[in-house]
Amino acid sequence: MNVTVKSTARARKKASPGVPDSLATGKDAPAELVQLLTPEGERVEHPDYPLTVTPEELRSLYRDLVLVRRFDAEATALQRQGELGLWASLLGQEAAQVGSGRAMREKDYAFPTYREHGVAWCRGVDPLNLLGMFRGVNHGGWDPNEKNFHLYTIVIGSQTLHATGYAMGITKDGADDAVIAYFGDGASSQGDVNEAFTFASVYNAPVVFFCQNNQWAISEPTTTQTRIPLYRRASGFGFPGVRVDGNDVLACLAVTRWALDRARSGSGPVLIEAFTYRMGAHTTSDDPTRYRANEETEAWKAKDPISRLKAHLEREQLADEEFFAAVEAESETLGLRVREGVRSMPDPDATLIFDHVYAEPHALVAEERAEYVAYAESFEGGE
């Protein structure tokens, strides 16, 4: 990983001859992008992805976006204060996650990476369970089969195979459900992802591949991953791909709902590329100022997903100051609960690491556990 060179768009283009201008400069081709809400908050229609939402639903989506961002900001602060070992922020990607998360039905199943905090919110996972894992006191903390939201996957891209296998099982069971697999632009280069595409296509599995293209795979730009827009890769595997404005919560909702319905109907997989931007660092161990220009980040601030939905609510007079103040107050309450909850988490019993190595009791593990207990007690006795 090279994080010492500050690349410019011109340098990247010279280094990658043959890359289309739209990719080399980071500029998107407007005709390829599904958008229902402009950065200025103006509602537009798309002939292929109609969406009807009530004022109440719009306000609910705004609340989701604000609370998810507040939780994420608190988690970042807690890591900086030494309360978490690491944190992968979703700042800037809230619309992609909330929009796709709210498109799912109750029995649909999601397979996330390690940044899908907004999807976890939509699936009813308590934020403190997410933070317990990053604090090192649990291995996830929620029941995947209760929430239909799998545990976070750290190995890049492997969850796409898990999702595809689960979707193939749905088909064999004859169930009317669908699966969604989340991954990033960097993961699209992994063999596991491409193998998942192959299996999903050949077996016509009811799975939606949701790629959050946030422009950077740690310090590597999308130009090092592909010479064509990522969503076009789907055609080589025999299923459709769609590029959606990942900062537009309504477009993400409409396109994901369409893709999930299509999968349920037996028409097979879809690849959605949510064209968005990672506003912060890859994780709290990363320094993005070493490899990307401030001008790029500033340009994306104008496309902020929360600001555009708020502008729409104000433009259409669908929410007043009392509503916005109430959401802000709720976000502060959430932040306080998260902060106090993390700091009060008890340290786990170290012997728990032996409890779930195997599903059934195992003689060797029991022996190792006994050895560890004796070792730990030798320190206690010496005090």
Side-chain angles (χ1 to χ4, degrees):
M1 179 180 68
N2 180 6
V3 296
T4 61
V5 179
K6 268 193 173 180
S7 300
T8 63
R10 181 177 298 177
R12 291 184 207 120
K13 189 174 181 182
K14 287 182 178 179
S16 304
V19 175
D21 288 346
S22 61
L23 285 176
T25 62
K27 295 179 180 178
D28 182 50
E32 298 175 341
L33 197 69
V34 177
Q35 187 178 85
L36 300 183
L37 197 62
T38 69
E40 296 75 28
E42 180 182 355
R43 182 75 159 85
V44 293
E45 299 296 333
H46 193 285
D48 298 325
Y49 307 100
L51 180 68
T52 301
V53 286
T54 66
E56 182 180 359
E57 290 171 330
L58 287 171
R59 289 190 292 268
S60 180
L61 288 170
Y62 177 82
R63 173 182 175 272
D64 284 337
L65 296 175
V66 171
L67 295 183
V68 166
R69 178 170 292 185
R70 181 67 181 85
F71 156 62
D72 179 65
E74 192 62 44
T76 300
L78 285 165
Q79 194 283 328
R80 296 305 190 200
Q81 295 162 10
E83 302 290 348
L84 303 177
L86 187 73
W87 184 247
S89 174
L90 58 59
L91 183 62
Q93 299 177 221
E94 297 91 351
Q97 296 192 16
V98 169
S100 60
R102 289 303 182 196
M104 298 174 65
R105 293 181 184 174
E106 182 182 357
K107 292 186 178 181
D108 293 339
Y109 210 112
F111 287 79
T113 60
Y114 46 78
R115 200 187 303 273
E116 274 67 62
H117 320 313
V119 184
W121 173 268
C122 293
R123 301 306 285 174
V125 176
D126 190 325
L128 287 174
N129 279 334
L130 297 178
L131 295 178
M133 181 178 63
F134 286 93
R135 189 172 171 85
V137 301
N138 64 38
H139 295 292
W142 66 91
D143 182 350
N145 293 325
E146 176 191 349
K147 305 297 184 182
N148 276 20
F149 182 77
H150 201 268
L151 296 177
Y152 275 6
T153 305
I154 308 300
V155 179
I156 304 300
S158 63
Q159 73 281 358
T160 57
L161 282 171
H162 306 158
T164 300
Y166 190 94
M168 291 164 61
I170 287 176
T171 301
K172 292 182 181 297
D173 290 342
D176 181 24
D177 304 317
V179 177
I180 184 167
Y182 291 90
F183 59 99
D185 47 293
S188 68
S189 297
Q190 293 288 332
D192 284 0
V193 174
N194 290 271
E195 290 167 9
F197 287 176
T198 298
F199 273 91
S201 176
V202 171
Y203 285 91
N204 210 44
V207 57
V208 174
F209 297 105
F210 195 93
C211 175
Q212 292 175 82
N213 179 2
N214 64 18
Q215 313 301 312
W216 291 93
I218 309 183
S219 60
E220 296 297 325
T222 309
T223 51
T224 65
Q225 308 294 333
T226 182
R227 290 183 175 234
I228 61 171
L230 291 174
Y231 77 95
R232 291 186 184 174
R233 286 183 171 182
S235 62
F237 293 89
F239 56 87
V242 183
R243 174 180 274 188
V244 61
D245 185 342
N247 286 24
D248 177 356
V249 69
L250 299 186
C252 290
L253 174 64
V255 171
T256 309
R257 185 177 288 170
W258 166 82
L260 288 169
D261 285 344
R262 182 183 184 280
R264 290 190 201 94
S265 70
S267 297
V270 174
L271 171 61
I272 298 175
E273 177 193 358
F275 198 79
T276 182
Y277 193 77
R278 192 194 77 213
M279 294 300 295
H282 173 71
T283 68
T284 45
S285 65
D286 172 43
D287 179 8
T289 64
R290 301 187 67 183
Y291 55 81
R292 68 185 190 190
N294 289 334
E295 293 82 2
E296 181 178 288
T297 306
E298 289 299 318
W300 276 90
K301 282 184 179 180
K303 304 175 183 180
D304 183 79
I306 297 180
S307 297
R308 75 168 67 182
L309 183 53
K310 183 176 183 180
H312 176 68
L313 291 170
E314 292 176 331
R315 175 195 292 265
E316 301 299 324
Q317 298 182 345
L318 300 176
D320 55 20
E321 287 305 316
E322 183 178 355
F323 166 77
F324 293 120
V327 172
E328 185 62 28
E330 187 178 2
S331 75
E332 290 300 316
T333 300
L334 174 63
L336 179 61
R337 183 172 80 86
V338 166
R339 188 160 58 251
E340 293 180 343
V342 166
R343 289 173 174 167
S344 63
M345 286 179 178
D347 292 334
D349 183 347
T351 60
L352 290 174
I353 63 174
F354 300 98
D355 289 353
H356 301 291
V357 178
Y358 294 100
E360 302 293 335
H362 192 282
L364 179 59
V365 174
E367 180 182 346
E368 292 173 340
R369 186 183 192 280
E371 290 177 355
Y372 172 79
V373 169
Y375 174 74
E377 289 177 347
S378 70
F379 287 95
E380 295 174 2
E383 292 182 351

